[in-house]
Amino acid sequence: MPTDAPLDVEVWSDVICPWCRIGRAHLDLALAEFEHADRVRVTYRSFELEPNSPAEQEESVIDHLAAKYGGTTAQIEGMVEDVVGRGQALGIDFRFDIARTGNTFDAHRLLHLAREHGRQDELKGRLMDAYFTEGRPIGSPATLEEVAVESGLDRDEVRAVLSSDRYAADVRADEDEARALQVGGVPFFVFDRRLAASGAQPPEVLLGALRQAWQARERSS
C-alpha cells in the first residue's frame, strides 16, 4: 500500500455504549501523540447493542441494565459509578441519571449520511454528548434531527433520511462485517486492515497499534 494513502482506522461502536465513548477519548489521546496523525482517516462503523429495543425506553438506564443483565440495582449502580469515575478522568460527564436510551438504528443511518459529507466525527461526538450528558432521547427522530443539524448537516436532507430507509443497507453491511470479523464487543478498532484491538484500550495501546500499522505499510510499500 502506498504510504501517501491515509491510514484507515475503523471503529465499530454504538452511541449508547459508555465504553465506546471512553474508547473514542482514548483514540483522540493516541492520535494526539501519533507522528502521522494528519494522515489518519477514522471511520465509525455501525454496531447496535440492542437492535430490538423500541425507539424510546421509559425506564431509567439503571433499571434497564438491571433487567438486561440480571443484576441488582445496587450492583448496576456500582458498575455505573466506576464508568462515571473513568469518564471524569477524561473530561466526560456521564449522566446516567438523566440518560434516555432507545433504538440506535436511525442514529447509525445518519452517521453514514454524515460520513458522505465529511461530518461523521462531529455527529458521532454530538450523538454521544446528547445521550450521555444532555439527557436527550437518543431514539427520537426530533432529537436525531436537531443533533444532526447541530453537527453541520442539512435539515431537509436529514429529514429525508429519517423518513426513508436510506443507508439501512449500509448499517446492515457494517454489522455483517462485524460478524465476519467475529466482533464480540465494542469498541472494536481495526488499523489499516492489519491489526485489531477490542475494548476501550488505553491510549498507549492504541498508539502502539497506530505505529505498528504505519511501520507495516512502510515495509510493504
Side-chain angles (χ1 to χ4, degrees):
M1 180 181 294
T3 56
D4 59 344
L7 189 154
D8 281 307
V9 178
E10 298 163 277
V11 188
W12 273 263
S13 67
D14 200 354
V15 297
I16 60 170
C17 166
W19 294 108
C20 296
R21 177 65 186 92
I22 290 171
R24 174 182 165 87
H26 285 175
L27 179 61
D28 287 343
L29 290 172
L31 287 170
E33 297 294 323
F34 184 49
E35 301 82 358
H36 308 286
D38 60 331
R39 305 283 295 282
V40 174
R41 177 171 56 198
V42 178
T43 301
Y44 287 97
R45 300 293 186 189
S46 305
F47 191 101
E48 296 173 272
L49 287 175
E50 299 185 13
N52 298 316
S53 66
E56 297 184 50
Q57 297 273 13
E58 296 300 326
E59 61 188 345
S60 71
V61 170
I62 298 295
D63 290 341
H64 175 69
L65 292 175
K68 179 179 178 179
Y69 294 111
T72 65
T73 299
Q75 288 172 325
I76 298 299
E77 287 175 344
M79 293 168 54
V80 166
E81 286 178 8
D82 176 61
V83 172
V84 170
R86 291 172 184 265
Q88 287 175 342
L90 294 164
I92 303 168
D93 184 17
F94 283 120
R95 291 293 309 276
F96 290 100
D97 56 322
I98 62 172
R100 299 173 64 185
T101 192
N103 194 286
T104 59
F105 187 74
D106 285 343
H108 286 295
R109 292 199 298 125
L110 288 179
L111 284 164
H112 279 277
L113 169 66
R115 183 187 177 199
E116 286 191 356
H117 291 284
R119 308 294 296 181
Q120 193 187 50
D121 186 66
E122 288 83 356
L123 180 57
K124 186 75 169 184
R126 285 297 300 122
L127 286 168
M128 286 182 155
D129 286 345
Y131 174 66
F132 286 116
T133 302
E134 299 165 11
R136 298 164 76 173
I138 200 62
S140 161
T143 294
L144 293 173
E145 178 182 326
E146 291 305 317
V147 171
V149 171
E150 291 164 10
S151 303
L153 297 179
D154 177 75
R155 187 180 299 275
D156 289 339
E157 189 171 16
V158 170
R159 286 179 175 174
V161 170
L162 290 174
S163 63
S164 70
D165 63 353
R166 188 175 168 192
Y167 300 110
D170 299 272
V171 174
R172 298 304 185 208
D174 280 353
E175 294 175 334
D176 287 344
E177 189 164 18
R179 283 187 284 272
L181 292 171
Q182 298 184 329
V183 177
V186 287
F188 188 84
F189 302 86
V190 176
F191 300 86
D192 232 22
R193 292 294 167 126
R194 300 173 185 271
L195 303 167
S198 181
Q201 297 291 335
E204 58 269 23
V205 172
L206 299 178
L207 177 59
L210 285 165
R211 287 174 172 163
Q212 191 174 346
W214 187 270
Q215 292 166 0
R217 67 156 47 195
E218 286 187 325
R219 288 194 298 269
S220 64
S221 62

